[in-house]
Amino acid sequence: DKYQLKIDQFFKKM
Amino acid sequence: MFEAKLIQGAILKKILDAIKDLVNEASWDCSSQGMSLQAMDTSHVSLVAVQMKADGFDKYRCDRSVTLGMNLSSLSKILKCAGNDDTITLKAPDDGDKITLVFEAKNESETSEYEVKLMNLDSEYLGIPDTPYSVNVKMPSHKFQRICRDLQQIGDAVTISCAKDSIRFAAKGDLGSGTVNLCQTASADKPEDSVSISMQEPIIQSFALKYLNHFAKATPLSPQVSLSLSPDVPLVVEYSITDDDGSDFGYIRYYLAPKIDE
């Protein structure tokens, strides 16, 4: 689904 | 040695019911503070974070921090073997490769013991900033569950908009469209039935209903659910976990990345 954003775009890896 | 005893074992059963279909494998981080888990679904669209505070357990011992990686559907299958009124004790020795679950029936002499294999998981831990949100809504969890279920009949996505003192859930699809509008309730006679809306700025954002329906599996944990939204950031859906006495035990928070306009 090209309209769905991913959650790891928003939160940084620790 | 890690050992955690929960007289109301049903809470743990409900927590697993609320996460097992979203996340296959995850690690429980156990420390003197309590047990916590953070995991993304396989498509990396949503993230679930669970916290169970040490003082919410009836007995809690964690000599040193341990990470218990496991298959959640296996854990859930084992927890199905516990009765709703059972006391559940989790035990894991330091450096062991399995966790032991002991179920004790109330007022009976029966105890059962199960073991679940632990796994070494390559977990990615994401840092979630503690930011203020434009809109915070608290509403009955069963109402949220019903709205998500009903609107999934209409379409795959829900558009949530908030203006003044009402929140609107809308879906459209091939068969037509549907909207549910909720207004803030005035009375606090029954706090669990109330809708409260706090808005800094109006918002409109779309989310996949498939995930919201997964999140709604946490409904049995709490009579109220809290939704937090800001423009262009993930939605937060939070269920607080309380025991029968109403004491705060922790939470399940789900984060869902928005959909962009088609």
Side-chain angles (χ1 to χ4, degrees):
Chain A
D1 182 354
K2 62 182 173 180
Y3 303 108
Q4 176 64 63
L5 301 175
K6 303 280 186 186
I7 198 79
D8 35 11
Q9 287 171 240
F10 295 94
F11 302 139
K12 281 190 204 132
K13 278 179 199 167
M14 298 289 275
Chain B
M1 177 75 188
F2 169 74
E3 188 172 339
K5 181 178 181 180
L6 194 56
I7 291 176
Q8 272 177 254
I11 294 178
L12 194 60
K13 288 164 69 82
K14 288 177 192 170
I15 291 173
L16 260 291
D17 283 342
I19 57 178
K20 70 173 166 58
D21 296 328
L22 197 62
V23 177
N24 297 328
E25 294 168 347
S27 293
W28 289 98
D29 292 310
C30 308
S31 72
S32 56
Q33 306 292 307
M35 294 179 73
S36 63
L37 172 150
Q38 189 201 85
M40 283 185 278
D41 72 277
T42 47
S43 325
H44 289 202
V45 169
S46 68
L47 178 136
V48 58
V50 183
Q51 174 119 73
M52 287 185 281
K53 293 178 187 173
D55 56 13
F57 289 92
D58 300 284
K59 183 181 171 192
Y60 191 88
R61 176 184 165 188
C62 186
D63 299 336
R64 65 181 182 92
S65 296
V66 283
T67 300
L68 307 173
M70 60 185 85
N71 180 300
L72 294 183
S73 100
S74 305
L75 179 63
S76 175
K77 275 182 196 163
I78 299 294
L79 285 171
K80 290 254 187 293
C81 305
N84 274 330
D85 295 324
D86 283 6
T87 291
I88 298 179
T89 305
L90 309 173
K91 288 183 199 174
D94 291 343
D95 307 318
D97 61 351
K98 54 193 177 243
I99 182 171
T100 305
L101 293 100
V102 181
F103 307 146
E104 293 167 81
K106 280 217 169 76
N107 307 320
E108 286 176 45
S109 51
E110 183 186 325
T111 56
S112 33
E113 195 171 306
Y114 293 87
E115 285 179 346
V116 183
K117 284 181 204 154
L118 295 177
M119 314 163 83
N120 271 323
L121 298 174
D122 246 350
S123 320
E124 284 177 21
Y125 199 84
L126 299 177
I128 300 157
D130 192 13
T131 49
Y133 285 87
S134 305
V135 170
N136 287 96
V137 178
K138 286 199 172 78
M139 60 188 284
S141 57
H142 66 86
K143 204 166 281 222
F144 178 67
Q145 181 179 44
R146 169 93 194 269
I147 292 169
C148 294
R149 195 186 59 204
D150 290 351
L151 292 182
Q152 194 157 25
Q153 310 280 335
I154 311 291
D156 296 333
V158 60
T159 299
I160 302 179
S161 52
C162 194
K164 287 187 184 168
D165 54 0
S166 76
I167 181 166
R168 185 169 178 266
F169 300 84
K172 57 176 189 257
D174 294 341
L175 68 83
S177 64
T179 56
V180 179
N181 211 57
L182 279 182
C183 292
Q184 177 153 281
T185 53
S187 87
D189 289 349
K190 285 177 97 185
E192 65 270 26
D193 289 341
S194 69
V195 177
S196 71
I197 298 169
S198 126
M199 189 193 76
Q200 310 306 321
E201 56 176 331
I203 193 166
I204 178 160
Q205 219 163 16
S206 296
F207 300 96
L209 279 162
K210 180 177 88 169
Y211 293 93
L212 295 178
N213 276 301
H214 271 301
F215 304 168
K217 290 178 183 169
T219 303
L221 279 166
S222 179
Q224 285 257 310
V225 62
S226 142
L227 312 180
S228 303
L229 302 105
S230 277
D232 308 316
V233 300
L235 161 75
V236 190
V237 179
E238 175 172 337
Y239 296 84
S240 57
I241 306 171
T242 50
D243 62 20
D244 281 350
D245 306 329
S247 317
D248 173 32
F249 185 29
Y251 58 77
I252 293 195
R253 284 183 195 144
Y254 300 95
Y255 298 84
L256 178 59
K259 286 176 79 93
I260 48 174
D261 287 340
E262 296 185 13

